[in-house]
Amino acid sequence: MSTSGNRQQQKRKKPPKTYENKHFSGPLYDPNSSRPGKVQKTTNDNASNDKQRFERPRKYTITVAIPASVVDSAPTLEMKTILAGQIARSLVIFNVDEVVIYDDKKKWADSKINPNLFLARVLQYMETPQYLRKALVPFHPDLKFAGLLPPLETPHHPNLQQAMRYREGVTLNKEGTGTLVDIGMYRRARLEKLIQPGVRVTVELPEPLAAADTRKGQKPINVKAVSPKAPREKAGHYWGYHIRLASSFSRVITESPYEGGYDFTVGISDRDARDMFDDGVTNEVKSFKHLLFAFGGPSGDLQEAVEADEDLKCAGEDTAELFDLFVDPSARAGTRSVRLEARIDYHCDVRVPGCDFKRVVIKCARETRKKQRT
């Protein structure tokens, strides 16, 4: 009996507890407790699979204006969502800082969906970091098929192993004279300012830190709030796009958020425009601080949006006069028209006629910096 009893006790014996689980090690943080938090161990070993990117501070901006009617070319809500996801991917691949969705006054194909708001909701959902979507993006029928959308994988959407000095966060409850912030780590952050809950903020950490190097129960990190432009202008990180709605095409230009507006504008149309691959177009690209690309509807004509604008006293055939450059991406294409998502790739890559536009952008940015120094 004693031998069988010992065997049962051995079987029932539980394994010793370990504290190797990084997600649950340590007590929850209590601001009223005198117990000190754990000592932070910073690792310099980033994920080996992540590409080492060379990024330079950038002060110029790129804006893309697209018509709301672009989603009318997709017949179902699923296909509209997938189309919006393709557009968003093209925007972030080419570092677009501002997206303007303008109403081109076309009759909606689906009366149940407002294309202006639908496109804005999907693009905003994709731009918001995954750990903030539950707090910042309310549920809406337009986002029914959000699971079909691809991840953007931009610097402000860091993974667990990616150490970043800047992060996006959402304010939580107040703590004394400061505010706790959820920055997508197991460890909270703390701002010295009092901000109401549910506000999205960009914060700067004392040093680059990855979520994998944090634990629950640690004392909040003291951070400071910065402008959303700071990661781009100081560290060269692409920090996503912001969205603006325009009630007409003219308001795309007149309601620009930048002082002095857009100093270089490019119109893209499949009708009555210069061949994009014409060698002479490259010489017309000048130095700029704020660049605007304006695209037409699914049919490829920007002239239709201009003619439908009641605030513009401009005929469709005079549309080219509104832009510094007015080009046609499909002049040498094997198809009669080029879809919007393909046209974005054409121009933002940006091959303004046969040359790598990114080199042109860098050259113009260098000229702008030289002028500022002198």
Side-chain angles (χ1 to χ4, degrees):
M1 293 290 293
S2 60
T3 304
S4 62
N6 291 336
R7 290 178 179 175
Q8 290 180 356
Q9 289 179 359
Q10 290 177 359
K11 291 181 179 179
R12 293 176 182 175
K13 188 177 180 180
K14 295 181 180 180
K17 292 183 178 180
T18 63
Y19 296 93
E20 297 177 356
N21 190 322
K22 61 185 178 183
H23 303 306
F24 299 100
S25 61
L28 294 176
Y29 171 68
D30 183 5
N32 299 321
S33 174
S34 59
R35 180 175 178 176
K38 289 187 174 182
V39 178
Q40 175 64 40
K41 295 181 179 180
T42 305
T43 174
N44 295 323
D45 184 18
N46 293 333
S48 58
N49 294 331
D50 288 350
K51 294 185 297 184
Q52 296 296 324
R53 300 177 58 184
F54 178 71
E55 297 173 323
R56 297 184 58 181
R58 174 172 66 91
K59 292 191 176 182
Y60 66 85
T61 63
I62 300 176
T63 299
V64 167
I66 56 178
S69 63
V70 65
V71 296
D72 286 342
S73 60
T76 64
L77 183 60
E78 296 98 318
M79 297 184 70
K80 293 178 189 294
T81 304
I82 293 173
L83 174 60
Q86 292 174 345
I87 294 174
R89 284 287 297 178
S90 297
L91 295 173
V92 300
I93 286 173
F94 301 113
N95 299 342
V96 174
D97 304 295
E98 181 192 23
V99 185
V100 186
I101 303 170
Y102 67 90
D103 188 355
D104 50 349
K105 310 297 182 182
K106 288 193 175 183
K107 187 178 180 180
W108 301 344
D110 187 353
S111 59
K112 296 181 181 179
I113 298 177
N114 184 326
N116 301 274
L117 299 180
F118 170 81
L119 194 55
R121 285 192 181 99
V122 175
L123 294 182
Q124 187 62 62
Y125 175 86
M126 294 188 67
E127 191 277 336
T128 304
Q130 292 89 331
Y131 56 87
L132 298 181
R133 288 173 181 170
K134 185 176 180 180
L136 296 178
V137 183
F139 174 78
H140 193 276
D142 288 349
L143 300 175
K144 179 180 179 180
F145 297 102
L148 301 175
L149 296 170
L152 295 186
E153 298 181 339
T154 51
H156 71 305
H157 290 206
N159 55 36
L160 285 175
Q161 290 77 28
Q162 190 173 4
M164 298 291 294
R165 179 178 292 273
Y166 298 95
R167 294 185 74 97
E168 291 293 293
V170 60
T171 56
L172 303 175
N173 53 306
K174 299 178 182 178
E175 183 198 26
T177 58
T179 305
L180 290 178
V181 183
D182 179 6
I183 57 174
M185 294 183 174
Y186 304 113
R187 184 180 180 185
R188 301 298 191 200
R190 185 180 184 278
L191 284 172
E192 292 297 332
K193 300 179 180 179
L194 288 177
I195 305 176
Q196 62 181 358
V199 177
R200 178 173 171 176
V201 292
T202 304
V203 299
E204 182 180 0
L205 281 65
E207 60 182 0
L209 186 65
D213 298 331
T214 61
R215 307 287 186 273
K216 276 189 174 182
Q218 291 178 319
K219 189 175 181 180
I221 311 168
N222 289 321
V223 298
K224 64 178 182 179
V226 297
S227 168
K229 299 184 295 184
R232 168 175 58 84
E233 295 183 347
K234 294 182 178 180
H237 299 313
Y238 173 64
W239 214 245
Y241 52 78
H242 66 271
I243 300 169
R244 178 163 62 92
L245 291 173
S247 58
S248 63
F249 178 76
S250 61
R251 296 182 183 273
V252 171
I253 301 175
T254 58
E255 295 180 355
S256 171
Y258 306 112
E259 184 178 357
Y262 306 106
D263 51 1
F264 189 72
T265 57
V266 181
I268 293 95
S269 178
D270 289 347
R271 178 164 58 94
D272 300 332
R274 294 181 60 180
D275 183 0
M276 187 181 71
F277 297 97
D278 184 4
D279 293 336
V281 179
T282 308
N283 300 327
E284 298 184 19
V285 178
K286 64 179 183 180
S287 176
F288 59 83
K289 294 181 181 179
H290 306 293
L291 171 65
L292 169 66
F293 287 105
F295 294 88
S299 61
D301 294 338
L302 191 58
Q303 289 88 336
E304 294 181 5
V306 172
E307 290 177 349
D309 193 336
E310 298 177 355
D311 297 332
L312 277 176
K313 297 180 180 179
C314 180
E317 55 269 19
D318 299 327
T319 303
E321 298 178 5
L322 301 175
F323 302 95
D324 298 306
L325 205 58
F326 195 60
V327 294
D328 178 5
S330 60
R332 303 186 189 183
T335 180
R336 285 189 296 272
S337 62
V338 179
R339 294 173 63 90
L340 176 64
E341 57 270 29
R343 275 183 275 158
I344 293 177
D345 293 342
Y346 256 120
H347 288 82
C348 294
D349 180 26
V350 174
R351 296 192 178 277
V352 173
C355 72
D356 188 351
F357 189 71
K358 288 212 173 213
R359 293 182 180 178
V360 177
V361 170
I362 293 173
K363 180 180 178 181
C364 294
R366 287 175 179 171
E367 293 178 358
T368 302
R369 285 196 291 267
K370 288 180 180 178
K371 292 179 181 179
Q372 291 176 348
R373 290 173 185 173
T374 56

